[in-house]
Amino acid sequence: MLTQFSRTVARKASTGAASKRMMSAITGVDAREIIDSRGNPTVEVDITTATGTYTASVPSGASTGAYEAHELRDGGSRYLGKGCLKAVENAKTILADAVMGIDAADQRAIDEAMIKADGTHNKANVGANAVLGISLAASKAGAGVQGIPLWKHYANVAENPIPETMPVPCFNVINGGEHAGNRLAFQEFFVIPTGAETFSESMEIGCETFHALKKVIQTKFGGDATLIGDEGGFAPPCDVESGLAMIMEAAENAGYADKISVGLDVASSEFKVDGKDAYDLDFKSANGDPSMVLSGDEMVALYQKLIAEYPIVTIEDPFDQDDWTNWNKITAATDIQIVGDDLTVTNPAKIQEAIDQKSCNCLLLKVNQIGSISESIDAVKLSKQAGWGVMTSHRSGETEDNYIADLAVGLGTGQIKTGAPCRGERTAKYNQLLRIEAELGGAAVFPGAGFRTPAWMA
């Protein structure tokens, strides 16, 4: 039998727990259109709890995989058809009703409630941009109601006990493909400071090499060639090999040739020749050069040649999202990191298919490809369990929101790409990482050349 004292203690404990739940429950959802870094609308969401209001915004890609979650756009003439008012309305109504009253710290419950309310496999009814806006804002609210940093909350949700690993930045210093107006087919050329000992030092190396590259490009092509692309990198009139050569010259001039590696995002789905085992490296020209149309085997040979001549440690999307045969060939033919973006679209089902076929060995983590934080964490866990690397990524259409910096640390991905050290929507992420490094102090770990296998989930 309970004593009076026991009943009083139990009542107080129950009241305290209820009070805590009330303090952390979602009490309001609001949303609006804002403008991304390419001048297109996107979705921003506010989540309110008793502790305050928390805001997040959704990025958008230019080169998007066919299997990504559905980004809901309005169509019509407004904003050239790219308006997001339908997604905003869905966030404020259908999805707000689904998440109201849920504990903001319970990320999975929030995300599952929205997925159920949508009722499709790819969020086609309400829009992945509406779902993700709430998911991101809720993650910030979850950290806020617990009084912990966002990176720590992500680590807790993922059950990652080692969230002190800073990511190695992959600076996109030369832009091509759909991100720039030059003829360059490959979309991104990275400077990767694998020889740095701290994240701060990696920023120093990246920034100084970026400035040195500007001088190299200006000397070779003139001042107009140093205009920047969507992700802050330069867009000179170069080809693949001369682009890599200029990066190495810049690194040498900056004094960091022995501290950098390089990488590529080919984004080859953008220039796959329909119905053929062929890739058109001159796809942006009105009258393309037939000699620049390569077969899958010729592309593999090109990659092997580049790897032999330059310190390339990672290649993203070397083949089309449906060209599984050539993905399998390049992964078997090299020992570098082969990153699946359009191939895997942060989707556990596609990742498992790539694991089974040994088609790549690294996930590109883009939360808007799958549409929620919980599903993104599932994708990371599956990839890690398969022995893959994980590269956290921005999108070409970005906002000033810096959540991916916290995500990279909280999930211990060990590597991040978020553009050149240029343009505010890119530097916002780098600056947040500098803040996190300062917060961690001596506990911060920088994996350097070990970026593919950082400590995670002991």
Side-chain angles (χ1 to χ4, degrees):
M1 181 179 293
L2 286 174
T3 65
Q4 181 62 40
F5 175 75
S6 298
R7 284 193 293 271
T8 301
V9 169
R11 186 172 63 252
K12 288 183 176 180
S14 176
T15 301
S19 176
K20 184 177 180 180
R21 284 195 298 272
M22 289 177 65
M23 287 290 289
S24 61
I26 294 174
T27 58
V29 177
D30 197 8
R32 66 191 64 84
E33 271 188 342
I34 62 169
I35 305 303
D36 73 14
S37 61
R38 284 204 306 266
N40 294 323
T42 190
V43 177
E44 182 174 77
V45 172
D46 297 333
I47 292 287
T48 302
T49 72
T51 58
T53 298
Y54 305 87
T55 303
S57 53
V58 179
S60 178
S63 62
T64 56
Y67 303 106
E68 294 190 22
H70 181 69
E71 182 183 67
L72 185 62
R73 298 286 184 175
D74 297 338
S77 60
R78 181 176 177 272
Y79 278 117
L80 306 178
K82 294 182 179 293
C84 296
L85 293 180
K86 293 177 183 176
V88 166
E89 183 64 18
N90 290 341
K92 295 166 68 172
T93 55
I94 299 169
L95 296 179
D97 290 344
V99 303
M100 204 71 73
I102 299 178
D103 183 350
D106 193 344
Q107 187 70 45
R108 192 162 294 275
I110 293 165
D111 293 339
E112 288 178 351
M114 291 190 289
I115 292 167
K116 182 179 179 181
D118 172 77
T120 69
H121 74 283
N122 66 344
K123 303 172 181 65
N125 282 337
V126 299
N129 40 350
V131 174
L132 182 59
I134 291 179
S135 185
L136 289 171
S139 71
K140 294 184 180 184
V145 298
Q146 297 175 86
I148 60 176
L150 183 56
W151 60 265
K152 181 64 174 174
H153 179 50
Y154 287 144
N156 292 344
V157 174
E159 299 177 319
N160 176 17
I162 321 168
E164 292 85 15
T165 300
M166 300 298 299
V168 176
C170 300
F171 297 101
N172 177 13
V173 294
I174 293 180
N175 294 180
E178 293 295 333
H179 292 176
N182 55 11
R183 291 178 62 180
L184 188 60
F186 288 12
Q187 187 166 271
E188 300 173 9
F189 291 65
F190 304 130
V191 166
I192 311 172
T194 47
E197 295 185 1
T198 65
F199 181 78
S200 295
E201 185 188 0
S202 77
M203 289 301 303
E204 181 179 338
I205 292 170
C207 290
E208 291 184 16
T209 303
F210 180 70
H211 291 302
L213 179 60
K214 181 176 182 178
K215 292 180 180 178
V216 170
I217 293 171
Q218 191 167 18
T219 299
K220 291 182 183 296
F221 300 109
D224 286 352
T226 61
L227 299 176
I228 60 173
D230 279 354
E231 296 183 357
F234 303 114
C238 63
D239 60 19
V240 173
E241 293 198 53
S242 61
L244 289 168
M246 286 192 294
I247 288 174
M248 296 311 301
E249 181 180 348
E252 181 71 35
N253 293 348
Y256 296 122
D258 61 340
K259 289 197 171 186
I260 70 141
S261 303
V262 294
L264 299 168
D265 173 9
V266 181
S268 58
S269 293
E270 302 299 329
F271 54 89
K272 170 75 163 58
V273 179
D274 287 344
K276 297 182 179 180
D277 177 29
Y279 292 83
D280 184 2
L281 297 183
D282 199 27
F283 77 106
K284 292 194 282 186
S285 297
N287 299 303
D289 182 349
S291 70
M292 295 182 69
V293 178
L294 304 184
S295 69
D297 285 342
E298 288 171 330
M299 289 289 286
V300 170
L302 172 61
Y303 294 135
Q304 290 177 310
K305 177 178 183 291
L306 296 175
I307 292 166
E309 294 178 357
Y310 299 95
I312 294 173
V313 294
T314 183
I315 298 178
E316 179 184 329
D317 279 355
F319 291 103
D320 177 73
Q321 58 208 353
D322 292 317
D323 190 357
W324 292 87
T325 298
N326 283 314
W327 274 93
N328 300 347
K329 286 180 181 178
I330 188 63
T331 301
T334 70
D335 59 2
I336 69 164
Q337 178 171 269
I338 303 296
V339 185
D341 177 14
D342 291 347
L343 185 76
T344 55
V345 292
T346 317
N347 185 315
K350 300 294 290 185
I351 294 166
Q352 188 61 58
E353 187 175 2
I355 291 169
D356 294 342
Q357 295 199 34
K358 297 182 173 59
S359 301
C360 62
N361 52 37
C362 180
L363 167 70
L364 193 73
L365 172 61
K366 291 178 173 175
V367 295
N368 81 316
Q369 287 182 328
I370 189 67
S372 75
I373 289 294
S374 297
E375 292 168 294
S376 298
I377 288 172
D378 292 343
V380 169
K381 284 188 170 184
L382 179 60
S383 301
K384 290 285 190 178
Q385 288 160 4
W388 284 16
V390 177
M391 182 185 289
T392 306
S393 177
H394 63 167
R395 299 306 303 256
S396 54
E398 263 296 340
T399 73
E400 300 87 349
D401 202 332
N402 57 23
Y403 68 89
I404 64 166
D406 291 83
L407 198 66
V409 176
L411 302 189
T413 64
Q415 47 189 316
I416 190 171
K417 70 167 188 174
T418 185
C422 174
R423 296 180 55 135
E425 76 279 359
R426 314 295 156 183
T427 58
K429 284 70 167 174
Y430 293 127
N431 289 337
Q432 176 66 0
L433 286 165
L434 289 168
R435 295 182 195 105
I436 294 171
E437 182 186 44
E439 180 184 355
L440 287 170
V445 175
F446 187 75
F451 64 90
R452 293 173 64 178
T453 55
W456 194 84
M457 292 193 71

